[in-house]
Short mmCIF file of all heavy atoms in Angstrom, two decimals:
data_model
loop_
_atom_site.label_atom_id
_atom_site.label_comp_id
_atom_site.label_asym_id
_atom_site.label_seq_id
_atom_site.Cartn_x
_atom_site.Cartn_y
_atom_site.Cartn_z
N MET A 53 0.85 -1.17 0.00
CA MET A 53 0.00 0.00 0.00
C MET A 53 0.89 1.23 0.00
O MET A 53 1.72 1.40 0.87
CB MET A 53 -0.89 -0.04 1.23
CG MET A 53 -1.69 1.20 1.42
SD MET A 53 -2.89 1.03 2.70
CE MET A 53 -4.00 -0.09 1.95
N ASN A 54 0.72 2.07 -0.96
CA ASN A 54 1.54 3.27 -1.08
C ASN A 54 0.71 4.51 -0.83
O ASN A 54 -0.43 4.60 -1.24
CB ASN A 54 2.15 3.37 -2.48
CG ASN A 54 3.13 2.26 -2.74
OD1 ASN A 54 3.84 1.84 -1.85
ND2 ASN A 54 3.16 1.78 -3.96
N SER A 55 1.34 5.47 -0.18
CA SER A 55 0.70 6.77 0.01
C SER A 55 1.60 7.82 -0.61
O SER A 55 2.75 7.56 -0.94
CB SER A 55 0.46 7.04 1.49
OG SER A 55 1.69 7.05 2.19
N ASP A 56 1.08 9.01 -0.74
CA ASP A 56 1.83 10.08 -1.40
C ASP A 56 2.74 10.86 -0.45
O ASP A 56 3.58 11.61 -0.90
CB ASP A 56 0.87 11.06 -2.07
CG ASP A 56 0.18 10.43 -3.28
OD1 ASP A 56 0.68 9.42 -3.79
OD2 ASP A 56 -0.85 10.96 -3.69
N ASP A 57 2.58 10.71 0.86
CA ASP A 57 3.46 11.43 1.77
C ASP A 57 3.76 10.60 3.01
O ASP A 57 3.21 9.52 3.20
CB ASP A 57 2.91 12.81 2.14
CG ASP A 57 1.70 12.78 3.05
OD1 ASP A 57 1.40 11.74 3.66
OD2 ASP A 57 1.04 13.82 3.18
N ALA A 58 4.61 11.11 3.85
CA ALA A 58 5.06 10.37 5.04
C ALA A 58 3.95 10.17 6.06
O ALA A 58 4.06 9.31 6.93
CB ALA A 58 6.23 11.11 5.69
N PHE A 59 2.87 10.93 5.97
CA PHE A 59 1.78 10.80 6.93
C PHE A 59 0.68 9.87 6.43
O PHE A 59 -0.36 9.74 7.05
CB PHE A 59 1.19 12.18 7.25
CG PHE A 59 2.18 13.09 7.91
CD1 PHE A 59 2.77 14.11 7.19
CD2 PHE A 59 2.56 12.90 9.22
CE1 PHE A 59 3.71 14.94 7.77
CE2 PHE A 59 3.49 13.72 9.82
CZ PHE A 59 4.07 14.74 9.09
N GLY A 60 0.89 9.24 5.28
CA GLY A 60 -0.09 8.32 4.75
C GLY A 60 -1.20 8.98 3.96
O GLY A 60 -2.18 8.34 3.62
N GLN A 61 -1.06 10.27 3.66
CA GLN A 61 -2.10 10.97 2.91
C GLN A 61 -1.91 10.76 1.41
O GLN A 61 -0.80 10.69 0.92
CB GLN A 61 -2.08 12.47 3.22
CG GLN A 61 -2.48 12.76 4.64
CD GLN A 61 -2.50 14.24 4.93
OE1 GLN A 61 -1.84 15.03 4.29
NE2 GLN A 61 -3.28 14.61 5.93
N GLU A 62 -3.02 10.68 0.73
CA GLU A 62 -3.04 10.46 -0.71
C GLU A 62 -3.55 11.72 -1.40
O GLU A 62 -4.46 12.38 -0.91
CB GLU A 62 -4.00 9.29 -0.98
CG GLU A 62 -4.25 8.98 -2.41
CD GLU A 62 -5.25 7.84 -2.55
OE1 GLU A 62 -5.17 6.87 -1.80
OE2 GLU A 62 -6.11 7.96 -3.43
N ARG A 63 -2.99 12.03 -2.55
CA ARG A 63 -3.48 13.18 -3.34
C ARG A 63 -4.68 12.72 -4.16
O ARG A 63 -4.58 12.44 -5.34
CB ARG A 63 -2.37 13.68 -4.27
CG ARG A 63 -1.27 14.38 -3.56
CD ARG A 63 -0.29 14.98 -4.56
NE ARG A 63 0.95 15.28 -3.90
CZ ARG A 63 2.10 14.66 -4.14
NH1 ARG A 63 2.19 13.74 -5.06
NH2 ARG A 63 3.17 14.99 -3.47
N HIS A 64 -5.80 12.65 -3.52
CA HIS A 64 -7.01 12.18 -4.17
C HIS A 64 -7.64 13.32 -4.96
O HIS A 64 -7.71 14.46 -4.48
CB HIS A 64 -7.99 11.66 -3.12
CG HIS A 64 -9.09 10.84 -3.69
ND1 HIS A 64 -10.19 11.40 -4.30
CD2 HIS A 64 -9.25 9.50 -3.75
CE1 HIS A 64 -11.00 10.44 -4.70
NE2 HIS A 64 -10.45 9.27 -4.38
N PRO A 65 -8.13 13.08 -6.17
CA PRO A 65 -8.69 14.16 -7.00
C PRO A 65 -9.98 14.78 -6.46
O PRO A 65 -10.37 15.86 -6.89
CB PRO A 65 -8.93 13.50 -8.35
CG PRO A 65 -9.01 12.04 -8.07
CD PRO A 65 -8.12 11.80 -6.88
N TRP A 66 -10.64 14.15 -5.52
CA TRP A 66 -11.89 14.68 -4.99
C TRP A 66 -11.71 15.52 -3.73
O TRP A 66 -12.69 16.04 -3.19
CB TRP A 66 -12.87 13.55 -4.68
CG TRP A 66 -13.32 12.77 -5.87
CD1 TRP A 66 -13.01 13.01 -7.19
CD2 TRP A 66 -14.14 11.62 -5.85
NE1 TRP A 66 -13.60 12.06 -7.98
CE2 TRP A 66 -14.30 11.19 -7.19
CE3 TRP A 66 -14.75 10.89 -4.85
CZ2 TRP A 66 -15.05 10.07 -7.53
CZ3 TRP A 66 -15.49 9.78 -5.18
CH2 TRP A 66 -15.66 9.38 -6.51
N ILE A 67 -10.50 15.70 -3.24
CA ILE A 67 -10.29 16.47 -2.01
C ILE A 67 -10.84 17.88 -2.21
O ILE A 67 -10.58 18.53 -3.21
CB ILE A 67 -8.81 16.47 -1.60
CG1 ILE A 67 -8.44 15.05 -1.21
CG2 ILE A 67 -8.54 17.49 -0.50
CD1 ILE A 67 -7.19 14.83 -0.50
N GLY A 68 -11.65 18.32 -1.22
CA GLY A 68 -12.28 19.63 -1.27
C GLY A 68 -13.61 19.65 -1.99
O GLY A 68 -14.29 20.66 -2.00
N ARG A 69 -13.99 18.52 -2.55
CA ARG A 69 -15.24 18.46 -3.32
C ARG A 69 -16.35 17.79 -2.50
O ARG A 69 -16.08 17.01 -1.59
CB ARG A 69 -15.00 17.70 -4.62
CG ARG A 69 -13.91 18.43 -5.42
CD ARG A 69 -13.77 18.09 -6.82
NE ARG A 69 -14.99 18.15 -7.60
CZ ARG A 69 -15.10 17.55 -8.77
NH1 ARG A 69 -14.09 16.88 -9.29
NH2 ARG A 69 -16.22 17.63 -9.44
N PRO A 70 -17.61 18.07 -2.83
CA PRO A 70 -18.71 17.44 -2.10
C PRO A 70 -18.85 15.96 -2.46
O PRO A 70 -18.78 15.58 -3.63
CB PRO A 70 -19.95 18.23 -2.54
CG PRO A 70 -19.57 18.91 -3.80
CD PRO A 70 -18.08 19.05 -3.81
N VAL A 71 -19.02 15.14 -1.42
CA VAL A 71 -19.17 13.70 -1.60
C VAL A 71 -20.30 13.19 -0.72
O VAL A 71 -20.74 13.86 0.21
CB VAL A 71 -17.87 12.93 -1.25
CG1 VAL A 71 -16.74 13.29 -2.21
CG2 VAL A 71 -17.45 13.15 0.18
N GLN A 72 -20.75 11.98 -1.03
CA GLN A 72 -21.74 11.30 -0.19
C GLN A 72 -21.11 10.03 0.35
O GLN A 72 -20.46 9.29 -0.39
CB GLN A 72 -22.99 10.94 -0.97
CG GLN A 72 -24.01 10.22 -0.10
CD GLN A 72 -25.26 9.85 -0.85
OE1 GLN A 72 -25.25 9.66 -2.06
NE2 GLN A 72 -26.37 9.73 -0.13
N ASP A 73 -21.30 9.80 1.63
CA ASP A 73 -20.96 8.52 2.25
C ASP A 73 -22.19 7.65 2.01
O ASP A 73 -23.23 7.84 2.64
CB ASP A 73 -20.70 8.73 3.74
CG ASP A 73 -20.39 7.43 4.48
OD1 ASP A 73 -20.56 6.34 3.92
OD2 ASP A 73 -19.97 7.54 5.65
N ILE A 74 -22.12 6.76 1.06
CA ILE A 74 -23.29 6.01 0.61
C ILE A 74 -23.96 5.22 1.72
O ILE A 74 -25.18 5.35 1.92
CB ILE A 74 -22.93 5.14 -0.60
CG1 ILE A 74 -22.48 6.04 -1.77
CG2 ILE A 74 -24.10 4.25 -1.03
CD1 ILE A 74 -21.77 5.32 -2.88
N PRO A 75 -23.23 4.39 2.50
CA PRO A 75 -23.94 3.62 3.55
C PRO A 75 -24.58 4.51 4.62
O PRO A 75 -25.65 4.19 5.12
CB PRO A 75 -22.84 2.76 4.18
CG PRO A 75 -21.74 2.71 3.17
CD PRO A 75 -21.84 4.00 2.41
N ALA A 76 -23.93 5.62 4.96
CA ALA A 76 -24.47 6.50 6.01
C ALA A 76 -25.51 7.48 5.46
O ALA A 76 -26.20 8.14 6.25
CB ALA A 76 -23.32 7.30 6.65
N LYS A 77 -25.59 7.59 4.13
CA LYS A 77 -26.50 8.55 3.50
C LYS A 77 -26.24 9.97 4.01
O LYS A 77 -27.16 10.76 4.21
CB LYS A 77 -27.95 8.15 3.71
CG LYS A 77 -28.31 6.85 3.04
CD LYS A 77 -29.77 6.52 3.23
CE LYS A 77 -30.18 5.30 2.46
NZ LYS A 77 -29.83 4.04 3.03
N ALA A 78 -24.95 10.28 4.21
CA ALA A 78 -24.54 11.58 4.72
C ALA A 78 -23.63 12.25 3.69
O ALA A 78 -22.93 11.57 2.94
CB ALA A 78 -23.82 11.43 6.04
N THR A 79 -23.66 13.58 3.68
CA THR A 79 -22.85 14.31 2.71
C THR A 79 -21.93 15.29 3.42
O THR A 79 -22.18 15.71 4.55
CB THR A 79 -23.73 15.07 1.71
OG1 THR A 79 -24.52 16.01 2.41
CG2 THR A 79 -24.61 14.12 0.91
N GLY A 80 -20.88 15.68 2.70
CA GLY A 80 -19.93 16.66 3.20
C GLY A 80 -18.82 16.83 2.19
O GLY A 80 -18.94 16.37 1.04
N ARG A 81 -17.75 17.48 2.60
CA ARG A 81 -16.59 17.69 1.71
C ARG A 81 -15.50 16.71 2.10
O ARG A 81 -15.21 16.52 3.29
CB ARG A 81 -16.07 19.10 1.83
CG ARG A 81 -17.05 20.11 1.31
CD ARG A 81 -16.38 21.37 0.81
NE ARG A 81 -17.37 22.23 0.20
CZ ARG A 81 -17.72 22.19 -1.08
NH1 ARG A 81 -17.16 21.35 -1.89
NH2 ARG A 81 -18.64 23.01 -1.55
N LEU A 82 -14.89 16.12 1.11
CA LEU A 82 -13.76 15.21 1.34
C LEU A 82 -12.57 16.05 1.77
O LEU A 82 -12.16 16.96 1.06
CB LEU A 82 -13.44 14.42 0.07
CG LEU A 82 -12.31 13.41 0.18
CD1 LEU A 82 -12.66 12.30 1.17
CD2 LEU A 82 -11.98 12.83 -1.18
N ILE A 83 -12.04 15.77 2.97
CA ILE A 83 -10.92 16.58 3.46
C ILE A 83 -9.58 15.87 3.31
O ILE A 83 -8.56 16.54 3.17
CB ILE A 83 -11.14 17.07 4.90
CG1 ILE A 83 -11.46 15.92 5.86
CG2 ILE A 83 -12.23 18.11 4.94
CD1 ILE A 83 -11.57 16.34 7.31
N THR A 84 -9.56 14.55 3.32
CA THR A 84 -8.32 13.82 3.08
C THR A 84 -8.63 12.35 2.85
O THR A 84 -9.69 11.86 3.22
CB THR A 84 -7.32 13.99 4.25
OG1 THR A 84 -6.03 13.51 3.85
CG2 THR A 84 -7.76 13.25 5.49
N VAL A 85 -7.68 11.68 2.23
CA VAL A 85 -7.70 10.22 2.10
C VAL A 85 -6.37 9.74 2.66
O VAL A 85 -5.31 10.24 2.29
CB VAL A 85 -7.86 9.77 0.63
CG1 VAL A 85 -7.69 8.26 0.51
CG2 VAL A 85 -9.22 10.20 0.09
N VAL A 86 -6.44 8.80 3.60
CA VAL A 86 -5.22 8.30 4.23
C VAL A 86 -5.13 6.79 4.11
O VAL A 86 -6.14 6.09 3.99
CB VAL A 86 -5.13 8.71 5.72
CG1 VAL A 86 -5.06 10.21 5.87
CG2 VAL A 86 -6.28 8.16 6.51
N HIS A 87 -3.90 6.32 4.15
CA HIS A 87 -3.62 4.89 4.19
C HIS A 87 -3.24 4.56 5.62
O HIS A 87 -2.34 5.19 6.18
CB HIS A 87 -2.43 4.56 3.27
CG HIS A 87 -2.71 4.84 1.83
ND1 HIS A 87 -2.70 3.86 0.88
CD2 HIS A 87 -3.03 5.99 1.18
CE1 HIS A 87 -2.98 4.39 -0.29
NE2 HIS A 87 -3.18 5.68 -0.13
N GLU A 88 -3.94 3.61 6.20
CA GLU A 88 -3.66 3.23 7.59
C GLU A 88 -3.44 1.73 7.68
O GLU A 88 -4.04 0.95 6.94
CB GLU A 88 -4.81 3.63 8.51
CG GLU A 88 -4.97 5.12 8.68
CD GLU A 88 -6.01 5.49 9.72
OE1 GLU A 88 -6.46 4.61 10.48
OE2 GLU A 88 -6.36 6.67 9.77
N ARG A 89 -2.57 1.34 8.61
CA ARG A 89 -2.35 -0.07 8.91
C ARG A 89 -3.23 -0.41 10.10
O ARG A 89 -3.24 0.31 11.10
CB ARG A 89 -0.89 -0.35 9.27
CG ARG A 89 0.12 0.08 8.20
CD ARG A 89 0.05 -0.68 6.93
NE ARG A 89 0.34 -2.09 7.10
CZ ARG A 89 0.20 -2.99 6.16
NH1 ARG A 89 -0.23 -2.64 4.97
NH2 ARG A 89 0.48 -4.25 6.37
N VAL A 90 -4.01 -1.46 10.00
CA VAL A 90 -4.90 -1.90 11.08
C VAL A 90 -4.69 -3.39 11.32
O VAL A 90 -4.10 -4.09 10.50
CB VAL A 90 -6.38 -1.60 10.77
CG1 VAL A 90 -6.62 -0.12 10.65
CG2 VAL A 90 -6.82 -2.32 9.51
N ARG A 91 -5.17 -3.86 12.44
CA ARG A 91 -5.09 -5.28 12.77
C ARG A 91 -6.50 -5.84 12.93
O ARG A 91 -7.38 -5.17 13.47
CB ARG A 91 -4.32 -5.51 14.06
CG ARG A 91 -2.86 -5.15 13.95
CD ARG A 91 -2.13 -5.51 15.24
NE ARG A 91 -0.80 -4.98 15.23
CZ ARG A 91 0.25 -5.61 14.70
NH1 ARG A 91 0.10 -6.79 14.17
NH2 ARG A 91 1.44 -5.05 14.73
N ASP A 92 -6.68 -7.07 12.48
CA ASP A 92 -7.96 -7.71 12.69
C ASP A 92 -7.99 -8.37 14.06
O ASP A 92 -7.04 -8.26 14.84
CB ASP A 92 -8.27 -8.70 11.55
CG ASP A 92 -7.34 -9.90 11.50
OD1 ASP A 92 -6.59 -10.15 12.48
OD2 ASP A 92 -7.37 -10.60 10.48
N HIS A 93 -9.07 -9.05 14.37
CA HIS A 93 -9.25 -9.65 15.70
C HIS A 93 -8.23 -10.75 16.00
O HIS A 93 -8.03 -11.11 17.15
CB HIS A 93 -10.67 -10.19 15.85
CG HIS A 93 -10.97 -11.35 14.95
ND1 HIS A 93 -11.25 -11.19 13.61
CD2 HIS A 93 -11.01 -12.68 15.20
CE1 HIS A 93 -11.46 -12.38 13.07
NE2 HIS A 93 -11.32 -13.29 14.00
N GLU A 94 -7.55 -11.27 14.98
CA GLU A 94 -6.51 -12.29 15.18
C GLU A 94 -5.11 -11.68 15.20
O GLU A 94 -4.13 -12.40 15.31
CB GLU A 94 -6.61 -13.35 14.09
CG GLU A 94 -7.91 -14.13 14.14
CD GLU A 94 -8.06 -15.12 13.00
OE1 GLU A 94 -7.33 -14.99 11.99
OE2 GLU A 94 -8.90 -16.01 13.13
N GLY A 95 -5.03 -10.36 15.06
CA GLY A 95 -3.75 -9.69 15.10
C GLY A 95 -3.06 -9.56 13.76
O GLY A 95 -1.96 -9.02 13.67
N LYS A 96 -3.70 -10.02 12.68
CA LYS A 96 -3.12 -9.91 11.34
C LYS A 96 -3.22 -8.45 10.88
O LYS A 96 -4.28 -7.84 10.95
CB LYS A 96 -3.86 -10.82 10.37
CG LYS A 96 -3.28 -10.79 8.98
CD LYS A 96 -4.02 -11.74 8.07
CE LYS A 96 -3.46 -11.62 6.66
NZ LYS A 96 -4.22 -12.44 5.71
N GLU A 97 -2.11 -7.91 10.38
CA GLU A 97 -2.07 -6.52 9.95
C GLU A 97 -2.36 -6.41 8.46
O GLU A 97 -1.90 -7.23 7.67
CB GLU A 97 -0.70 -5.92 10.26
CG GLU A 97 -0.63 -4.43 10.06
CD GLU A 97 0.70 -3.85 10.50
OE1 GLU A 97 0.86 -3.57 11.70
OE2 GLU A 97 1.57 -3.69 9.62
N TYR A 98 -3.11 -5.38 8.10
CA TYR A 98 -3.38 -5.11 6.69
C TYR A 98 -3.63 -3.62 6.51
O TYR A 98 -3.80 -2.89 7.49
CB TYR A 98 -4.56 -5.94 6.17
CG TYR A 98 -5.87 -5.68 6.87
CD1 TYR A 98 -6.80 -4.83 6.33
CD2 TYR A 98 -6.16 -6.30 8.08
CE1 TYR A 98 -8.00 -4.59 6.98
CE2 TYR A 98 -7.36 -6.06 8.73
CZ TYR A 98 -8.27 -5.20 8.17
OH TYR A 98 -9.45 -4.96 8.80
N GLY A 99 -3.61 -3.15 5.28
CA GLY A 99 -3.79 -1.73 5.01
C GLY A 99 -5.19 -1.41 4.53
O GLY A 99 -5.84 -2.22 3.87
N VAL A 100 -5.65 -0.22 4.89
CA VAL A 100 -6.95 0.28 4.44
C VAL A 100 -6.79 1.71 3.96
O VAL A 100 -5.89 2.43 4.38
CB VAL A 100 -8.03 0.22 5.54
CG1 VAL A 100 -8.33 -1.20 5.95
CG2 VAL A 100 -7.63 1.04 6.74
N ARG A 101 -7.66 2.12 3.06
CA ARG A 101 -7.74 3.51 2.60
C ARG A 101 -9.00 4.12 3.20
O ARG A 101 -10.10 3.61 2.97
CB ARG A 101 -7.82 3.59 1.09
CG ARG A 101 -6.55 3.24 0.39
CD ARG A 101 -6.74 3.15 -1.11
NE ARG A 101 -7.01 4.47 -1.69
CZ ARG A 101 -7.84 4.67 -2.71
NH1 ARG A 101 -8.49 3.67 -3.26
NH2 ARG A 101 -8.02 5.87 -3.19
N LEU A 102 -8.83 5.17 3.97
CA LEU A 102 -9.96 5.82 4.62
C LEU A 102 -10.16 7.23 4.07
O LEU A 102 -9.20 7.98 3.89
CB LEU A 102 -9.74 5.92 6.13
CG LEU A 102 -9.73 4.60 6.88
CD1 LEU A 102 -9.40 4.85 8.36
CD2 LEU A 102 -11.06 3.89 6.76
N ALA A 103 -11.41 7.57 3.82
CA ALA A 103 -11.80 8.91 3.40
C ALA A 103 -12.32 9.64 4.63
O ALA A 103 -13.14 9.10 5.37
CB ALA A 103 -12.89 8.83 2.34
N TYR A 104 -11.83 10.86 4.85
CA TYR A 104 -12.33 11.69 5.94
C TYR A 104 -13.20 12.78 5.33
O TYR A 104 -12.76 13.49 4.42
CB TYR A 104 -11.18 12.28 6.75
CG TYR A 104 -10.56 11.27 7.69
CD1 TYR A 104 -9.63 10.37 7.23
CD2 TYR A 104 -10.96 11.20 9.01
CE1 TYR A 104 -9.07 9.42 8.07
CE2 TYR A 104 -10.41 10.25 9.87
CZ TYR A 104 -9.47 9.38 9.40
OH TYR A 104 -8.94 8.44 10.24
N ILE A 105 -14.41 12.89 5.85
CA ILE A 105 -15.43 13.80 5.31
C ILE A 105 -15.82 14.79 6.41
O ILE A 105 -15.97 14.40 7.57
CB ILE A 105 -16.66 13.00 4.85
CG1 ILE A 105 -16.24 11.98 3.78
CG2 ILE A 105 -17.75 13.93 4.33
CD1 ILE A 105 -17.29 10.94 3.48
N LEU A 106 -16.00 16.05 6.02
CA LEU A 106 -16.42 17.09 6.95
C LEU A 106 -17.78 17.62 6.51
O LEU A 106 -17.94 18.10 5.39
CB LEU A 106 -15.40 18.24 6.96
CG LEU A 106 -15.69 19.41 7.89
CD1 LEU A 106 -15.68 18.97 9.35
CD2 LEU A 106 -14.67 20.52 7.65
N SER A 107 -18.76 17.54 7.42
CA SER A 107 -20.11 18.03 7.10
C SER A 107 -20.17 19.54 7.23
O SER A 107 -19.29 20.17 7.84
CB SER A 107 -21.14 17.39 8.04
OG SER A 107 -21.01 17.94 9.33
N ASP A 108 -21.23 20.12 6.71
CA ASP A 108 -21.44 21.57 6.83
C ASP A 108 -21.59 22.00 8.29
O ASP A 108 -21.30 23.14 8.64
CB ASP A 108 -22.68 22.01 6.04
CG ASP A 108 -22.45 21.94 4.54
OD1 ASP A 108 -21.28 21.90 4.10
OD2 ASP A 108 -23.46 21.90 3.80
N SER A 109 -22.03 21.09 9.14
CA SER A 109 -22.20 21.41 10.56
C SER A 109 -20.90 21.28 11.35
O SER A 109 -20.88 21.54 12.55
CB SER A 109 -23.28 20.52 11.18
OG SER A 109 -22.84 19.17 11.16
N GLY A 110 -19.82 20.87 10.68
CA GLY A 110 -18.52 20.78 11.35
C GLY A 110 -18.18 19.42 11.92
O GLY A 110 -17.15 19.25 12.55
N ILE A 111 -19.04 18.44 11.70
CA ILE A 111 -18.76 17.08 12.19
C ILE A 111 -18.00 16.33 11.11
O ILE A 111 -18.38 16.32 9.95
CB ILE A 111 -20.07 16.35 12.54
CG1 ILE A 111 -20.76 17.07 13.68
CG2 ILE A 111 -19.80 14.89 12.87
CD1 ILE A 111 -22.15 16.57 13.98
N ALA A 112 -16.90 15.70 11.51
CA ALA A 112 -16.08 14.91 10.58
C ALA A 112 -16.18 13.44 10.92
O ALA A 112 -16.36 13.06 12.09
CB ALA A 112 -14.63 15.38 10.64
N TRP A 113 -16.07 12.59 9.92
CA TRP A 113 -16.08 11.14 10.11
C TRP A 113 -15.26 10.49 9.01
O TRP A 113 -14.89 11.12 8.05
CB TRP A 113 -17.51 10.60 10.15
CG TRP A 113 -18.21 10.60 8.83
CD1 TRP A 113 -18.31 9.56 7.95
CD2 TRP A 113 -18.93 11.68 8.21
NE1 TRP A 113 -19.04 9.91 6.83
CE2 TRP A 113 -19.42 11.22 6.98
CE3 TRP A 113 -19.18 13.00 8.59
CZ2 TRP A 113 -20.16 12.03 6.12
CZ3 TRP A 113 -19.91 13.79 7.73
CH2 TRP A 113 -20.40 13.31 6.52
N SER A 114 -14.98 9.22 9.22
CA SER A 114 -14.23 8.47 8.22
C SER A 114 -15.06 7.30 7.71
O SER A 114 -15.96 6.80 8.40
CB SER A 114 -12.91 7.96 8.79
OG SER A 114 -13.15 7.02 9.82
N THR A 115 -14.74 6.89 6.50
CA THR A 115 -15.38 5.74 5.88
C THR A 115 -14.41 5.17 4.86
O THR A 115 -13.45 5.83 4.49
CB THR A 115 -16.72 6.13 5.21
OG1 THR A 115 -17.41 4.94 4.80
CG2 THR A 115 -16.53 7.03 4.02
N ALA A 116 -14.65 3.97 4.42
CA ALA A 116 -13.81 3.39 3.38
C ALA A 116 -13.93 4.21 2.10
O ALA A 116 -15.02 4.70 1.77
CB ALA A 116 -14.22 1.95 3.12
N VAL A 117 -12.83 4.36 1.37
CA VAL A 117 -12.85 5.14 0.13
C VAL A 117 -13.90 4.59 -0.84
O VAL A 117 -14.57 5.35 -1.53
CB VAL A 117 -11.45 5.18 -0.51
CG1 VAL A 117 -11.50 5.79 -1.89
CG2 VAL A 117 -10.49 5.96 0.38
N GLY A 118 -14.08 3.28 -0.85
CA GLY A 118 -15.07 2.68 -1.74
C GLY A 118 -16.50 3.02 -1.40
O GLY A 118 -17.41 2.76 -2.20
N ASN A 119 -16.73 3.61 -0.24
CA ASN A 119 -18.08 3.99 0.18
C ASN A 119 -18.51 5.38 -0.26
O ASN A 119 -19.62 5.79 0.02
CB ASN A 119 -18.20 3.95 1.71
CG ASN A 119 -18.21 2.54 2.26
OD1 ASN A 119 -18.42 1.58 1.52
ND2 ASN A 119 -17.97 2.42 3.54
N ILE A 120 -17.61 6.14 -0.90
CA ILE A 120 -17.97 7.52 -1.24
C ILE A 120 -18.28 7.68 -2.71
O ILE A 120 -17.77 6.95 -3.56
CB ILE A 120 -16.88 8.53 -0.80
CG1 ILE A 120 -15.56 8.28 -1.54
CG2 ILE A 120 -16.69 8.49 0.70
CD1 ILE A 120 -14.52 9.37 -1.30
N ALA A 121 -19.14 8.65 -2.98
CA ALA A 121 -19.50 9.00 -4.35
C ALA A 121 -19.39 10.51 -4.48
O ALA A 121 -19.77 11.26 -3.57
CB ALA A 121 -20.93 8.56 -4.66
N LEU A 122 -18.88 10.95 -5.61
CA LEU A 122 -18.76 12.37 -5.90
C LEU A 122 -20.15 12.95 -6.18
O LEU A 122 -20.93 12.36 -6.94
CB LEU A 122 -17.84 12.58 -7.10
CG LEU A 122 -17.50 14.01 -7.48
CD1 LEU A 122 -16.74 14.70 -6.33
CD2 LEU A 122 -16.66 14.02 -8.74
N LEU A 123 -20.46 14.09 -5.59
CA LEU A 123 -21.72 14.77 -5.84
C LEU A 123 -21.53 15.85 -6.89
O LEU A 123 -20.43 16.39 -7.03
CB LEU A 123 -22.26 15.40 -4.55
CG LEU A 123 -22.68 14.40 -3.46
CD1 LEU A 123 -23.07 15.14 -2.21
CD2 LEU A 123 -23.83 13.53 -3.95
N PRO A 124 -22.58 16.17 -7.61
CA PRO A 124 -22.47 17.24 -8.64
C PRO A 124 -22.25 18.61 -8.00
O PRO A 124 -22.51 18.86 -6.89
CB PRO A 124 -23.79 17.18 -9.38
CG PRO A 124 -24.71 16.35 -8.56
CD PRO A 124 -23.89 15.60 -7.57
#
């Protein structure tokens, strides 16, 4: 899993644009995409890509990159 900088951030083309978190049915602006190493319940390590979204009300959350859709 490769990221674009030392902090695991990716230069995603949708950063700053409105997106929808499809499973949550929530919308906001994509603020960053990061690569993180996580462990499962058996301790096996693997990488994930997380999208961080900021709502108009100021609440931020993360979701899998595959869960987001670009809004018009």
Side-chain angles (χ1 to χ4, degrees):
M53 173 171 290
N54 295 324
S55 60
D56 291 341
D57 71 15
F59 297 104
Q61 293 182 336
E62 175 182 319
R63 289 187 198 113
H64 196 281
W66 296 356
I67 293 193
R69 300 196 52 198
V71 295
Q72 180 180 27
D73 178 349
I74 298 165
K77 295 182 175 78
T79 61
R81 293 207 174 271
L82 181 64
I83 54 176
T84 192
V85 173
V86 297
H87 296 241
E88 292 187 12
R89 304 293 298 172
V90 297
R91 293 185 189 273
D92 66 14
H93 67 282
E94 296 176 343
K96 182 179 177 185
E97 190 175 276
Y98 61 98
V100 295
R101 289 172 68 216
L102 293 176
Y104 283 82
I105 302 167
L106 180 64
S107 72
D108 289 341
S109 65
I111 297 171
W113 72 95
S114 65
T115 189
V117 171
N119 288 344
I120 63 172
L122 185 62
L123 293 175

